[in-house]
Amino acid sequence: MKSNIYIQLTFAFVLFLFSGQVMGQYASIQNRFEVDYIKGCAGWQVNVTINDPGGVFDNPRFWYTGFDSNQTPTTNLNHIFPDAGEFYIAMLVNNTDGEFENNQLDSILVEVIEPADPQFIIRNCDAHQVKVQITDDFYDRYQVNFTTTDFEIVDPLDTTSAYNYGIQGDYRIEVQGLFDNAAPNCTVINEGFTSIEEIIDPTLTSIETISNDPATGQLQMAHTLGEHTIYQLMESIEGSENFDSLQEVSGAETLINNQNTVRSFNCYQIETYDACNEVIIPSNILCSVNFHLETSEDGNLMVWDTDETQATSYNLIRNDGLLTEITDPTIKQFNDTSVICQEEYVYNVQALFSSGSSLAKDTAIIASRSGELPPITEYPSSTFNLDNEVVLNWNTPDAEQIPFRRYIVQKRTNNRSWRFVAIADDTTYIDTDPDFFGLQSYRITYDDQCGNEATPSPITQPILASQVGSRGKIVTYSWNKYETWINGIRNYTIERLDSAGNIIEEFPVLSGRNKDVEFGANDLDAKYIRVRAESLDETPLFTYSNVIESRLKTTMFLPNAFTPDDDGLNDYFIAEGPSVFNFRMEIYNRWGIRIFETSDLVNGWDGKLNGEEAPEGTYIYKIFFEDGIGKDYEQMGSFILLRQ
């Protein structure tokens, strides 16, 4: 009996492969029973109907997971399948006669499927309309229930028609996956939403780099979005042409993780889909700013990159303040020379777009070079001391934050090249070796700890006095203009000093920079002379020239002709001048023969030779004498003897 049942079951399987549905329900191979569905999801309860209108079946009983003589069959006409798989439902009767001989078993194959959650998107439209987009193809069809009474059957990956809820409100939509020829017992997903009056166009307002890293960099994005609408953030790597979906966004801000914020910039756009009109609504485009700093020869170099086709201008920020604005978006570097060595600066770049802005991450740098150091803008002062050394003084520059190192004194003579003179730690320097063979010019600069050197100060030229001529006791002095004082010169004065530097006599200068000074005929003392300049300031400033010693050359005056005719006028050839000592005069004729000699300073030569009148003509004289301090002098010249 058992072997016959196996034969009958095999025969029944073969017949099932060629049989079809013959009734409203699904019939077994021999049509002895029917099931309501031949497919369902796990947890499906199958219901069996026995087709025995004549009541001939003897004790029909069932196996729901395939015939197994070792298992006890059941007479229940329903069964729940908890697990997925393919199963044969088998029915056995005890009849053995007629058609039942060796044919007591009948069956049908059913399929149980592990259910999956239907995947779908509820898309709000204007005027409280909605569409449901199915986003998977696991099931053969999907039933979308808008209300308890209104539904629509749609295919996989398809979208429903627009459904109008009419008024603002909170609603729920159910979606259930359906298989063909299957029980409707698969998963039902219920999702709530709020209808909207209008889709709000997305707007990106700003992007800010939060952290820099080639793999885990972060960007903070601010945007304006509507409520109850799906918005998708799109990303384009190093440009604004090819956008790919990155993530769904909502609210006012979005943190974007895992970005390469070190070596590249990215552009972003937000999109929403108006399903009812089947159009994509994009936002404006904003791009991140890739930014780095480096030191340059004269400052801090800012270099950045972003999409110049989208940006309109850049704001360069230093220490939280606007450094400058660059209006040409193709320019993407800037050298900040207004920096101070060893100072820390924090920079940033803000890219401005037609709508919105993008900010890089604050980046700090310690300047290793300074830009243009504040110069010493005021004129240094210069003056000679009594030792004929040039004393320079100057004001400190406006450089409180600069890591000052030292002052540098430079000098030139006349218009030659500037040369280094000395290093100074304070604002005074004394040049102990000035050059008196030309006009001296000085200027001051300074440097910082990084080796940056400031623009030199204006130049100062001390007064250099010189004796340019003398005629007897009249001495001519000259000097250069002192041009250091802004308010100008009130006057110059020539001072005569004693050997200790005390003023013993002054000679006012009414105009110009030349002065004739006449000394007394018997003034044989040393003459120490310097020029004093006085400024026009309310509290006058003074500067002094070098001290020069004027030792006058003692010169006797002799006529170039005389007439020894006893008329009482010009009858004697006499040397006149200051008091001299050891005087001697010699007269020579045109052939160089000495014809007369005398030490009589008062009477001189009367024009006679051995009591006879000397002939008219040209004669030569030589005189010898000493001045009051014993200095020897010799003068020589010619004169004419004339007779009436």
Side-chain angles (χ1 to χ4, degrees):
M1 177 68 178
K2 190 174 195 178
S3 61
N4 289 337
I5 292 175
Y6 276 119
I7 293 172
Q8 294 174 32
L9 184 59
T10 302
F11 177 71
F13 289 166
V14 173
L15 288 178
F16 177 77
L17 295 176
F18 296 98
S19 65
Q21 181 179 347
V22 296
M23 299 179 61
Q25 291 187 312
Y26 301 89
S28 61
I29 295 173
Q30 300 190 71
N31 202 29
R32 293 175 182 172
F33 68 93
E34 296 176 350
V35 293
D36 50 357
Y37 298 101
I38 58 173
K39 184 186 289 188
C41 289
W44 159 47
Q45 176 180 294
V46 65
N47 298 302
V48 176
T49 302
I50 298 175
N51 292 328
D52 185 19
V56 298
F57 294 165
D58 181 10
N59 190 25
R61 50 204 184 277
F62 295 88
W63 289 267
Y64 285 96
T65 56
F67 173 76
D68 186 350
S69 61
N70 294 320
Q71 291 183 356
T72 302
T74 180
T75 58
N76 292 335
L77 297 181
N78 53 64
H79 176 77
I80 295 176
F81 293 96
D83 302 312
E86 288 187 336
F87 304 97
Y88 280 99
I89 301 175
M91 184 182 76
L92 182 67
V93 295
N94 288 336
N95 305 70
T96 58
D97 298 334
E99 66 176 281
F100 298 105
E101 184 178 358
N102 296 323
N103 189 23
Q104 296 171 287
L105 191 65
D106 194 3
S107 66
I108 189 171
L109 179 65
V110 297
E111 181 182 5
V112 180
I113 300 173
E114 187 66 37
D117 292 348
Q119 303 298 309
F120 62 96
I121 299 173
I122 300 175
R123 295 194 178 276
N124 265 321
C125 300
D126 294 342
H128 310 294
Q129 296 184 92
V130 68
K131 276 189 172 184
V132 177
Q133 178 184 355
I134 304 301
T135 58
D136 73 71
D137 58 358
F138 183 78
Y139 296 97
D140 296 326
R141 290 165 295 125
Y142 296 82
Q143 179 171 322
V144 179
N145 298 315
F146 296 104
T147 66
T148 57
T149 58
D150 297 338
F151 68 91
E152 183 176 345
I153 303 296
V154 294
D155 292 330
L157 305 177
D158 202 356
T159 302
T160 68
S161 303
Y163 184 83
N164 193 338
Y165 283 91
I167 59 173
Q168 176 78 33
D170 296 329
Y171 302 95
R172 303 198 71 83
I173 288 179
E174 290 182 350
V175 177
Q176 183 180 27
L178 303 175
F179 290 110
D180 293 339
N181 303 320
N185 76 308
C186 296
T187 305
V188 177
I189 297 298
N190 184 304
E191 186 174 313
F193 72 99
T194 301
S195 66
I196 60 173
E197 180 64 35
E198 180 183 14
I199 295 176
I200 302 300
D201 293 354
T203 301
L204 275 170
T205 56
S206 67
I207 294 176
E208 181 178 356
T209 302
I210 301 301
S211 64
N212 278 329
D213 191 88
T216 60
Q218 292 181 310
L219 300 174
Q220 185 71 48
M221 178 179 295
H223 37 63
T224 301
L225 307 175
E227 293 184 338
H228 314 302
T229 304
I230 297 172
Y231 295 95
Q232 195 70 27
L233 177 62
M234 313 297 290
E235 179 184 53
S236 178
I237 306 298
E238 294 186 350
S240 57
E241 295 180 355
N242 301 310
F243 283 93
D244 295 316
S245 177
L246 182 64
Q247 66 188 65
E248 191 173 308
V249 292
S250 62
E253 292 184 342
T254 297
L255 182 64
I256 309 173
N257 296 307
N258 303 321
Q259 298 291 296
N260 181 354
T261 54
V262 175
R263 297 183 181 177
S264 65
F265 69 89
N266 298 334
C267 293
Y268 299 91
Q269 187 176 48
I270 296 177
E271 293 181 353
T272 189
Y273 179 58
D274 182 352
C276 295
N277 293 305
E278 298 183 354
V279 294
I280 294 174
I281 303 173
S283 73
N284 55 311
I285 295 174
L286 291 184
C287 303
S288 62
V289 179
N290 175 249
F291 170 53
H292 70 273
L293 278 171
E294 59 188 67
T295 59
S296 65
E297 292 183 356
D298 54 355
N300 296 330
L301 180 63
M302 306 172 66
V303 181
W304 64 92
D305 197 14
T306 191
D307 193 320
E308 63 191 47
T309 66
Q310 298 293 331
T312 58
S313 63
Y314 308 107
N315 286 335
L316 306 189
I317 300 167
R318 186 182 78 176
N319 296 342
D320 294 327
L322 180 64
L323 175 63
T324 188
E325 180 182 3
I326 295 179
T327 57
D328 183 351
T330 64
I331 297 175
K332 290 182 279 190
Q333 69 176 36
F334 178 80
N335 192 29
D336 182 14
T337 59
S338 300
V339 297
I340 298 172
C341 165
Q342 296 183 355
E343 285 289 312
E344 183 180 72
Y345 296 87
V346 179
Y347 292 91
N348 210 330
V349 176
Q350 181 186 42
L352 302 180
F353 298 80
S354 58
S355 176
S357 64
S358 180
L359 188 67
K361 180 173 175 55
D362 284 349
T363 304
I365 191 171
I366 296 177
S368 63
R369 302 286 295 176
S370 293
E372 185 174 355
L373 297 178
I376 301 173
T377 57
E378 298 182 13
Y379 281 86
S381 66
S382 57
T383 189
F384 280 93
N385 60 21
L386 292 174
D387 294 324
N388 272 351
E389 299 169 331
V390 177
V391 180
L392 302 174
N393 287 279
W394 58 90
N395 293 327
T396 58
D398 183 15
E400 295 181 357
Q401 297 179 337
I402 292 175
F404 174 86
R405 182 167 69 160
R406 61 189 180 178
Y407 292 107
I408 302 169
V409 181
Q410 299 174 343
K411 175 182 175 181
R412 73 178 179 187
T413 302
N414 294 328
N415 290 319
R416 298 173 188 169
S417 299
W418 289 96
R419 60 186 176 88
F420 167 82
V421 175
I423 298 298
D425 294 326
D426 56 24
T427 57
T428 298
Y429 172 72
I430 298 177
D431 185 0
T432 60
D433 187 25
D435 187 349
F436 294 101
F437 298 100
L439 187 62
Q440 306 297 294
S441 299
Y442 296 86
R443 67 184 185 182
I444 311 299
T445 183
Y446 68 94
D447 62 5
D448 61 21
Q449 297 293 342
C450 296
N452 304 292
E453 189 169 305
T455 301
S457 70
I459 65 173
T460 182
Q461 295 173 334
I463 299 174
L464 185 64
S466 62
Q467 179 180 320
V468 296
S470 65
R471 301 182 309 279
K473 292 295 183 177
I474 300 175
V475 181
T476 302
Y477 299 98
S478 181
W479 58 92
N480 59 288
K481 184 179 180 181
Y482 189 68
E483 298 184 296
T484 295
W485 294 324
I486 296 176
N487 294 329
I489 301 292
R490 175 175 283 114
N491 57 52
Y492 294 99
T493 302
I494 292 180
E495 296 178 343
R496 181 179 180 180
L497 311 175
D498 61 19
S499 59
N502 300 307
I503 300 173
I504 57 176
E505 194 174 0
E506 291 187 348
F507 305 93
V509 179
L510 299 180
S511 64
R513 295 188 302 279
N514 291 275
K515 176 68 176 178
D516 290 338
V517 176
E518 183 174 0
F519 297 98
N522 296 315
D523 186 351
L524 302 178
D525 293 334
K527 299 166 181 62
Y528 299 104
I529 302 297
R530 72 177 180 183
V531 177
R532 182 184 74 225
E534 180 181 346
S535 74
L536 281 169
D537 295 285
E538 183 176 350
T539 301
L541 303 173
F542 296 93
T543 188
Y544 300 91
S545 75
N546 54 313
V547 178
I548 58 176
E549 183 179 359
S550 292
R551 289 189 176 274
L552 301 185
K553 180 179 180 181
T554 302
T555 303
M556 304 299 288
F557 174 75
L558 293 98
N560 55 16
F562 80 111
T563 57
D565 53 6
D566 296 325
D567 62 356
L569 298 174
N570 204 19
D571 289 331
Y572 295 89
F573 184 72
I574 300 172
E576 296 179 341
S579 297
V580 296
F581 305 90
N582 298 323
F583 177 81
R584 182 166 56 89
M585 180 170 66
E586 297 175 351
I587 305 295
Y588 295 83
N589 64 18
R590 68 183 65 183
W591 294 281
I593 299 173
R594 185 172 63 189
I595 60 174
F596 179 79
E597 181 179 1
T598 183
S599 59
D600 187 350
L601 182 60
V602 176
N603 294 311
W605 183 40
D606 60 1
K608 293 181 179 181
L609 296 175
N610 299 321
E612 299 292 331
E613 292 183 348
E616 291 184 329
T618 301
Y619 294 84
I620 305 299
Y621 70 86
K622 287 184 179 180
I623 60 174
F624 306 89
F625 57 91
E626 295 178 2
D627 64 14
I629 61 173
K631 182 178 180 180
D632 294 327
Y633 291 89
E634 178 182 335
Q635 286 183 224
M636 179 178 176
S638 64
F639 64 94
I640 299 174
L641 188 154
L642 298 174
R643 295 189 184 278
Q644 297 295 331

